[in-house]
Amino acid sequence: MFGKRAVELINEIANCTPENLPAYNDELVRLVIEEVNEHYNQMSDLVRSMNRSGQDSAEWGMEHPEEASALVVHHACILRNKRLLMTYVKERAERIKSLKWSSRTAAMSIRPQLSATEVEFQQAYDRLLTKYCRKGTGVGMDLTLDTTPPSDPELSVRVRKDCGEVVLPSGTFFLKKNTCHIMPREEAEGLIRDGYVEALEHDNCLLRWDT
Amino acid sequence: MASQDAPGSSQVDFANLYGESDVSIIKQALISEQVCPEILQYQEDLVQRLESQISNQEATIQELNKHAEQDLLKMIYTVEVQRVKYSLRCYLRARLKKLEQHVMHCLDDPEVKERLSEKEVKYAEDYFLLLGQHISTNVLSAMPQDFKGLLRQSSVSDANDTLARPNLDTHVFCKVLEDQGNVEVDDNGDTVDFSKDDLYIVRYRPIRDLVRDNWVQLI
């Protein structure tokens, strides 16, 4: 059936939970594009035979109802396949983007599932957002932080991975595995998201991001 | 300690500092932005005022660091400033999200583009280029001639017909701030009496202008 392959592509994403992404289906995309080109060839043949007849399109359509309807169907199939392919690529891009907003470790772990162009897109989006968050070129605040309404100004955290000395705006912390620290919430959030530390209190929102 | 400060002392009174209004305005702006289907006018002055107030408050906190006995006050100030920062970030985030969602529409319609801040326009342009290029290399470049357009389904389409536009006919909750008399709420000419403090669930489109002119508040 026409257009069935492209629907399979969409289903692949639809059947996947929002924070996951199936591997980029190169093969199927190629097949859909082949299908589009086949439709296009058939359509061009029909257009050529119409032009050869020397009649205008309405007249030709009256005389050759079968060819005329084939022409319409081929055209509709191209549009449909194009739309589905665009949706496939766009939806994947949306998910790659949303990872940037939620968890940096997950953004890395998804890499093997992406195509080369998608990795490029991920990096470019990263740069774009960083630029918008920076002072001068943007708003001067890291918008990816602070995603939940703040309660306490400080947070106790436990270190999950050795990361040596870390210099933060509020001071220097020596983050050795399993030690506990109290640090400003704002600064802790970045570390939590990167999976270096975990929040000790159940702050109902600042849990570990990467599990 | 804080309460004992005489008026005119070097302590900054943060009720004045923020002026009750600015914090409540950003709160309302945030709510409106989150529930409204289309992107609203960027509150440039408000954001600037808040930014300078935040940096003032942060300077005050730095100052307080030197006095150990002022810890409680420092904590109160810190929480205050964090809350305001949170609202501000949320506001910008909500806008950015809508901007990305309807990036082509925002750039295509000059009236919508007017509502964005300078930086948002730049961001939208860069983002549109990025996404457009991504889709082009993956899909459009492989499409046959006449079907390569990003904004048009095919070269015979009359207008830019792949543009996603926000759905203005979705329903919103709103509160009437001033008496409005009868307001037409659908295409059949049915009207509803909007009087002060009424709450309604209505389609967004008919009350669009009222929201813009601040007669009706989205909640």
Side-chain angles (χ1 to χ4, degrees):
Chain A
M1 199 180 87
F2 293 158
K4 199 162 184 193
R5 288 196 188 111
V7 175
E8 267 172 48
L9 273 179
I10 303 294
N11 280 339
E12 252 181 34
I13 307 189
N15 292 338
C16 209
T17 50
E19 61 277 7
N20 277 318
L21 204 57
Y24 186 78
N25 201 333
D26 238 339
E27 181 61 22
L28 204 50
V29 170
R30 201 179 51 78
L31 286 173
V32 175
I33 288 174
E34 256 173 33
E35 196 180 307
V36 169
N37 284 325
E38 186 51 34
H39 281 305
Y40 186 70
N41 289 338
Q42 303 238 8
M43 198 178 90
S44 312
D45 284 346
L46 288 168
V47 171
R48 266 196 295 278
S49 78
M50 177 176 86
N51 287 342
R52 262 202 307 275
S53 73
Q55 295 161 311
D56 74 5
S57 52
E59 248 175 74
W60 180 80
M62 294 296 280
E63 268 175 43
H64 307 84
E66 284 134 35
E67 281 90 341
S69 42
L71 188 68
V72 173
V73 170
H74 284 309
H75 187 254
C77 283
I78 296 177
L79 293 188
R80 182 179 163 79
N81 277 328
K82 175 180 169 181
R83 189 175 174 153
L84 288 170
L85 276 178
M86 280 171 88
T87 309
Y88 179 68
V89 172
K90 171 119 195 292
E91 178 60 28
R92 289 182 63 91
E94 292 291 334
R95 293 201 182 186
I96 294 169
K97 263 168 46 189
S98 75
L99 282 177
K100 163 74 185 160
W101 287 93
S102 57
S103 156
R104 279 173 246 188
T105 39
M108 285 312 288
S109 64
I110 203 107
R111 278 277 167 91
Q113 316 279 60
L114 306 183
S115 72
T117 47
E118 279 173 331
V119 173
E120 263 169 47
F121 175 82
Q122 192 185 28
Q123 288 165 342
Y125 182 73
D126 232 62
R127 281 197 297 274
L128 183 61
L129 198 60
T130 318
K131 194 176 134 204
Y132 185 71
C133 293
R134 207 181 299 138
K135 226 182 168 79
T137 51
V139 291
M141 282 183 278
D142 189 348
L143 296 181
T144 60
L145 291 182
D146 213 3
T147 45
T148 48
S151 49
D152 267 335
E154 285 177 332
L155 201 66
S156 14
V157 296
R158 186 190 295 127
V159 182
R160 301 180 64 218
K161 274 189 245 171
D162 277 321
C163 36
E165 231 173 47
V166 176
V167 182
L168 297 173
S170 61
T172 310
F173 292 87
F174 191 74
L175 300 182
K176 193 169 181 299
K177 195 174 173 184
N178 291 333
T179 54
C180 295
H181 301 268
I182 295 178
M183 52 174 77
R185 191 193 163 82
E186 238 181 353
E187 291 160 20
E189 200 172 334
L191 292 170
I192 291 172
R193 205 177 286 183
D194 287 345
Y196 290 121
V197 301
E198 62 186 338
L200 281 181
E201 298 135 48
H202 268 260
D203 199 324
N204 77 30
C205 28
L206 269 187
L207 304 176
R208 278 152 47 185
W209 289 84
D210 58 334
T211 43
Chain B
M1 276 172 255
S3 56
Q4 286 161 11
D5 277 333
S9 75
S10 65
Q11 279 307 333
V12 190
D13 180 353
F14 65 86
N16 287 345
L17 183 65
Y18 279 128
E20 185 56 35
S21 55
D22 271 358
V23 176
S24 45
I25 296 172
I26 185 75
K27 213 162 140 192
Q28 181 53 45
L30 167 61
I31 294 170
S32 308
E33 204 64 71
Q34 278 174 336
V35 297
C36 179
E38 64 172 345
I39 201 156
L40 298 166
Q41 177 63 43
Y42 179 64
Q43 311 263 4
E44 182 146 20
D45 294 344
L46 175 68
V47 172
Q48 265 172 12
R49 278 204 306 276
L50 282 172
E51 271 172 352
S52 74
Q53 282 160 5
I54 287 173
S55 63
N56 276 344
Q57 180 107 329
E58 277 174 343
T60 316
I61 294 169
Q62 282 294 323
E63 197 58 35
L64 285 177
N65 264 337
K66 292 174 193 156
H67 311 283
E69 74 278 8
Q70 302 268 31
D71 260 5
L72 178 65
L73 189 63
K74 187 184 123 194
M75 202 168 118
I76 295 170
Y77 277 11
T78 316
V79 173
E80 171 87 13
V81 92
Q82 282 185 351
R83 288 195 175 166
V84 177
K85 266 184 166 175
Y86 168 74
S87 318
L88 196 56
R89 278 184 182 155
C90 251
Y91 173 67
L92 293 170
R93 256 200 302 265
R95 292 182 61 85
L96 210 59
K97 201 175 140 209
K98 277 200 250 182
L99 190 62
E100 286 184 357
Q101 205 177 359
H102 297 120
V103 61
M104 298 182 200
H105 164 73
C106 291
L107 293 174
D108 187 57
D109 189 338
E111 201 241 322
V112 179
K113 204 172 166 181
E114 278 286 294
R115 295 185 213 145
L116 308 177
S117 76
E118 227 174 274
K119 282 160 186 164
E120 280 169 342
V121 172
K122 181 87 186 78
Y123 182 85
E125 281 165 355
D126 289 348
Y127 177 72
F128 173 63
L129 264 178
L130 176 63
L131 187 68
Q133 227 162 39
H134 183 59
I135 294 180
S136 291
T137 35
N138 281 300
V139 182
L140 301 175
S141 62
M143 288 288 124
Q145 205 69 41
D146 301 336
F147 294 92
K148 285 186 189 295
L150 178 63
L151 300 179
R152 294 173 178 213
Q153 292 192 37
S154 76
S155 54
V156 292
S157 307
D158 301 329
N160 295 344
D161 53 1
T162 59
L163 245 70
R165 299 201 186 268
N167 178 12
L168 300 182
D169 289 321
T170 158
H171 287 72
V172 290
F173 289 79
C174 68
K175 181 180 171 190
V176 182
L177 297 179
E178 295 291 339
D179 283 342
Q180 288 301 313
N182 286 334
V183 175
E184 210 169 291
V185 288
D186 66 16
D187 304 333
N188 304 333
D190 289 338
T191 57
V192 170
D193 185 26
F194 270 44
S195 15
K196 191 167 185 250
D197 290 337
D198 281 353
L199 298 179
Y200 287 106
I201 308 174
V202 289
R203 265 187 328 131
Y204 176 68
R205 200 188 291 272
I207 61 159
R208 198 176 172 193
D209 293 340
L210 295 176
V211 170
R212 193 191 56 211
D213 300 334
N214 241 344
W215 298 114
V216 168
Q217 200 174 49
L218 297 179
I219 49 177

